Structures are given as structure tokens and as C-alpha cells.
Amino acid sequence: MTDPHIVVASTVAAAQAAATVTPKTVEQIDRFGTDVAKTIRLLLFPFQLTGALQDRLERYIDRSIRHVPEERRIEPVESLAYPIVEKLRFQSEHDPITELYIQLLSRAMDRERVGEAHPAFFSVITQMAPDELIFLHDFASRDETLIMSPVGRKVYPDPAWRKSRLDKCELLAEVRQQVEDETFRYEALSQPELFPVYQEHLQHLGLIEYHNQRARHYRELELKVRDDSDLTVFSMKVTHFGRLFLKACVKDVSSTHSELSAR
């Protein structure tokens, strides 16, 4: 494992060697690096790890610290920071849930944003699956989301089924495009067949809810003859709690949604 002091020392030495760097700049680099190293040591103190796990955890903590502007950094809120670090010990670098922990840890060290780090958010992250994060991002991309679901059955409505349902409504082309844009993107999920499970779980976590008002195109989507074997259409949205969660734990909702959908 690389000693943080060695990293700081080498950074300062490189700055001193550059003709354009002044002594004041060197002093700032030294203080910046030392503060980061001190915080990393503080957060690692309760945990005894060696080798690759230790190095990876140091990188996670370093990323969290550097997300916070230097002038806003505070001593981490231990009651929140230590449980997050404990979870990060075994988080894969390629798991999108890892970034939620890193962002929440940043909030615990940010004077201006520490109030966003609601204690419940840690518990929410520990229960989320990567697909549920994609689900939540999709919902957050619009004010309301149309859900198509078969009456009385919890199964995934594939594209052909959804197309058939819309064909029966004989919508104007412009309206149909709006409906398709407002409909949940089931195929963004790695396991779209688990969509009903994710929906129920995200509701249980308080992150999404049924929309109290009817969807904008509700009347146009009603079938003239009721068919209990066909898809019903209803509207859902991200709750206020859900948006606070995304604000605290996601760096950029729109870009992260695109990255996750591309996986």
C-alpha cells in the first residue's frame, strides 16, 4: 500500500521542480495533500485491511473528499461516514451503487451540503439493486411517468404488447409520440421481467408513488371497450423524498441515467 505521505511528498517535489511554480503554490499543494491524507487515515482507522482492498478503499475515500471544495471541507460526520466506509470495503468499482455511497460520504464532509445527508439514505442505498437505480433515474427524467401493466397480473409488458395497446387507441401521431416519451423505459433494465418487483420495492422505500392527478393523456388512452386481458395505464412519479435522495447521492442525474442505460 502506498503511504499517503509519500504521495504528498512527491507532489510537492514535482511542483518545486517546475520553474513556474511559486513557493506559495507549493505550500498550498502541501496543505491540500496533507488534509486529504489525514482524512483518509481517520476514516480507515477502525478497519484493518491489507493489499488491494485497502488501496481500493483509499481511492474511494479520496474521490469522496475531492468532490468537496477545499474551503467547505469539515471533519466527517462519524455516525454516517464510518458505516459508509464499512460498506465501501467490498464494493466493486464497476457497481453503480458504489458511486451512491461515495457521493453520500462527500455530503458528510461538506459544510454546505451536510444537511442533505439524511440518515435514512444510507439504509436506502444498502437495499437498492443496480436496476432499481436505473428505474429511479428514468422516473426522475420527467414529472410523471406512464406505466403500462396488465390488469391483475405482475408481468413485464414487452414492446409488442405495448404497441398493440397503443394501436387500439388510434392516437394522433404527435400524441402517440408524447405518450411513448412519457412511458417507462422497461428495456433499460438488465432484467425488465423483474419490473413489478422493482416498482413495489421502490414504493416501499418511499422513492416513488402513484400520481394523485390523472396522466395528461389519460382519456385518450382509455379503451372504448374494456378488455381485462389488456394493459391498463396509470401514472407514477418520484416522491419529494426520492428527489432529495437523488440530490444527495447522485452527482448528475441526467448523465448518470445515460451511463447506466448504456451498460
Side-chain angles (χ1 to χ4, degrees), residues 5 61 69 89 98-99 110 127 133 154 174 195 227:
H5 289 295
I61 297 172
R89 288 187 301 164
T98 300
E99 190 60 30
D110 188 332
Q127 298 178 65
L133 180 56
K154 296 180 179 180
E174 180 182 353
F195 145 73
D227 183 352

Side-chain angles (χ1 to χ4, degrees), residues 151-176:
V151 178
R153 287 185 291 160
K154 296 180 179 180
V155 297
Y156 155 58
D158 62 28
W161 198 354
R162 302 199 306 270
K163 179 181 182 303
S164 173
R165 170 64 170 82
L166 292 180
D167 288 345
K168 293 178 181 179
C169 297
E170 300 179 350
L171 301 171
L172 294 174
E174 180 182 353
V175 174
R176 178 158 182 159

Side-chain angles (χ1 to χ4, degrees), residues 65-125:
I65 298 168
R66 293 176 191 275
H67 283 323
V68 184
E70 188 178 356
E71 68 278 5
R72 286 174 19 201
R73 290 178 192 157
I74 59 175
E75 284 285 314
V77 179
E78 294 183 5
S79 60
L80 180 62
Y82 284 135
I84 294 173
V85 173
E86 198 266 339
K87 281 290 185 182
L88 279 172
R89 288 187 301 164
F90 306 111
Q91 278 292 128
S92 166
E93 294 189 71
H94 304 293
D95 185 343
I97 301 299
T98 300
E99 190 60 30
L100 299 182
Y101 284 120
I102 290 173
Q103 289 296 327
L104 188 58
L105 182 57
S106 292
R107 302 295 172 266
M109 297 183 282
D110 188 332
R111 178 181 293 106
E112 291 186 9
R113 302 189 66 181
V114 67
E116 296 175 12
H118 191 288
F121 292 163
F122 172 74
S123 176
V124 169
I125 297 173

